[in-house]
Amino acid sequence: MRIFVTGAAGFIGSHYVRGLLDGEHADVPDAHVTVLDKVTYAGNLNNLPIGHPRLTFVRGDVCDDELLNEVLPGHDAVVHFAAESHVDRSLMSGAPFVTTNVLGTQTVLEACRRTGVRRIVHVSTDEVYGSIAEGSWTERSLLEPNSPYAASKAASDMLARAYWRSHGLEISITRCSNNYGPYQFVEKVIPLFITNLIDGHDVPLYGDGHQVRDWLHVSDHCRAIHQVLMNGRAGEIYNISGGVELSNRELTGRLLELCGVGWDRVRQVPDRKAHDERYSVDTIKIRDELGFAPQVAFEDGIAQVVAWYRDNRAWWEPLRRGADLAAER
Ligand code: NAD
């Protein structure tokens, strides 16, 4: 099987591609993978086994339809991860989010239509639903995105649906909760806090940290995406989550404990604008239809992630130097 993966120099896409090449997905033992990635500030070639005989890496933009015309034909499927993905950046400037997430998705879908690549998984997020005080969203819930990031992802979901309905492309959409794992760029809360603590700095907690997020290990997310690719139905949306709800304060406490430091290392900073209170997706559909259940227990997974950042300073230190993390909060 030849799989075309966009945005796989980033956190989740690179995990998926490493898994494909390492034989983690038994139904595609010899998958050939083409990665298309612009290598923005969030992309990192060190996340991929460049030079692997079954990997072709193309540096380029998902908005570049001529390039897509050239490199897409002959693939059996597309898994579309490429996106601008950081909510805080979208609050500073929404334009790159609309360009990559909306126009980029439309360009990829149009190229699939033109070149006859029919099977596509569009990787989206639970943030498209907005914020929910109680209960959980099903795949049929209203979309009420609150950040430019979430709005651009919601728009891309609508385009994916339209290309399924209008052009008969076999598109499935996944909407996952927050991921954690190794190789996550240092601006996101878990790696930011861990690397700050390892380096002896404080960690900036938004407001009183009461907002709730549902955490899933990246390997479970990738297994779910792969199951959707192989067995999911076209035109369908699949929610994915770990079912591990933690307030940001609870998460911070866990990270402080694992790093062996106390609450004196926490600096309260003004809350994010329109900070979503809670995300929660109902995952009965993917469980019942595809038999998906997360395998990594949060306690184990988060301890491994702290250990990974401790053991892989050479991976993240240059990224911290390059990123203006102070400006993040
Ligand atoms: P990431 O920011 O780590 O990686 C994004 C990748 O896309 C980078 O390699 C970047 O170089 C590439 N990219 C950006 N713009 C591009 C363009 N115009 N053309 C080609 N490549 C481009 O993101 P991530 O956390 O790995 O997220 C991947 C996908 O999963 C996104 O679509 C995101 O919305 C979705 N998602 C993420 C989470 C999460 O918790 N991180 C949860 C649910 C869904």
Side-chain angles (χ1 to χ4, degrees), residues 154-192:
S156 67
D157 289 14
M158 297 294 102
L159 284 163
R161 181 191 147 78
Y163 271 76
W164 161 69
R165 192 84 174 98
S166 321
H167 298 300
L169 294 184
E170 293 161 16
I171 304 177
S172 307
I173 297 171
T174 60
R175 292 187 180 145
C176 189
S177 64
N178 283 44
N179 283 212
Y180 70 98
Y183 298 96
Q184 187 170 27
F185 189 69
V186 288
E187 70 187 352
K188 300 283 169 67
V189 62
I190 289 182
L192 176 71

Side-chain angles (χ1 to χ4, degrees), residues 84-301:
E84 287 291 338
S85 70
H86 193 41
V87 173
D88 287 344
R89 285 181 188 262
S90 81
L91 296 170
M92 291 188 276
S93 169
F97 288 75
V98 174
T99 305
T100 288
N101 301 1
V102 185
L103 181 62
T105 298
Q106 186 271 331
T107 309
V108 169
L109 296 172
E110 189 60 36
C112 288
R113 185 181 77 78
R114 252 191 338 258
T115 60
V117 179
R118 299 183 56 75
R119 182 72 184 122
I120 299 150
V121 175
H122 172 62
V123 180
S124 190
T125 165
D126 63 354
E127 298 193 29
V128 296
Y129 295 117
S131 181
I132 190 165
E134 283 172 10
S136 303
W137 298 291
T138 72
E139 288 81 354
R140 303 190 67 81
S141 295
L142 202 63
L143 301 191
E144 292 183 317
N146 291 323
S147 69
Y149 162 66
S152 66
K153 292 297 291 188
S156 67
D157 289 14
M158 297 294 102
L159 284 163
R161 181 191 147 78
Y163 271 76
W164 161 69
R165 192 84 174 98
S166 321
H167 298 300
L169 294 184
E170 293 161 16
I171 304 177
S172 307
I173 297 171
T174 60
R175 292 187 180 145
C176 189
S177 64
N178 283 44
N179 283 212
Y180 70 98
Y183 298 96
Q184 187 170 27
F185 189 69
V186 288
E187 70 187 352
K188 300 283 169 67
V189 62
I190 289 182
L192 176 71
F193 278 25
I194 296 172
T195 55
N196 271 14
L197 293 173
I198 291 174
D199 265 358
H201 304 300
D202 291 347
V203 295
L205 180 65
Y206 277 137
D208 63 4
H210 70 276
Q211 290 90 356
V212 172
R213 298 292 178 262
D214 181 343
W215 293 96
L216 179 71
H217 193 272
V218 64
S219 62
D220 281 325
H221 186 190
C222 290
R223 273 192 318 105
I225 288 170
H226 189 69
Q227 280 178 244
V228 170
L229 173 68
M230 302 307 283
N231 302 310
R233 286 182 294 143
E236 295 292 326
I237 298 162
Y238 295 90
N239 287 342
I240 306 166
S241 88
V244 179
E245 288 194 27
L246 291 176
S247 69
N248 289 338
R249 198 173 170 79
E250 287 169 322
L251 175 69
T252 303
R254 221 55 75 85
L255 296 175
L256 293 173
E257 220 174 277
L258 286 165
C259 292
V261 293
W263 279 94
D264 56 319
R265 297 284 291 280
V266 178
R267 177 170 45 90
Q268 205 166 322
V269 295
D271 215 340
R272 175 190 271 171
K273 275 188 204 163
H275 202 169
D276 286 337
E277 293 288 326
R278 175 175 174 264
Y279 303 133
S280 177
V281 285
D282 175 311
T283 54
I284 288 172
K285 182 174 176 179
I286 193 165
R287 188 193 69 195
D288 288 358
E289 233 181 73
L290 302 180
F292 173 77
Q295 289 180 353
V296 182
F298 182 77
E299 291 307 328
D300 300 337

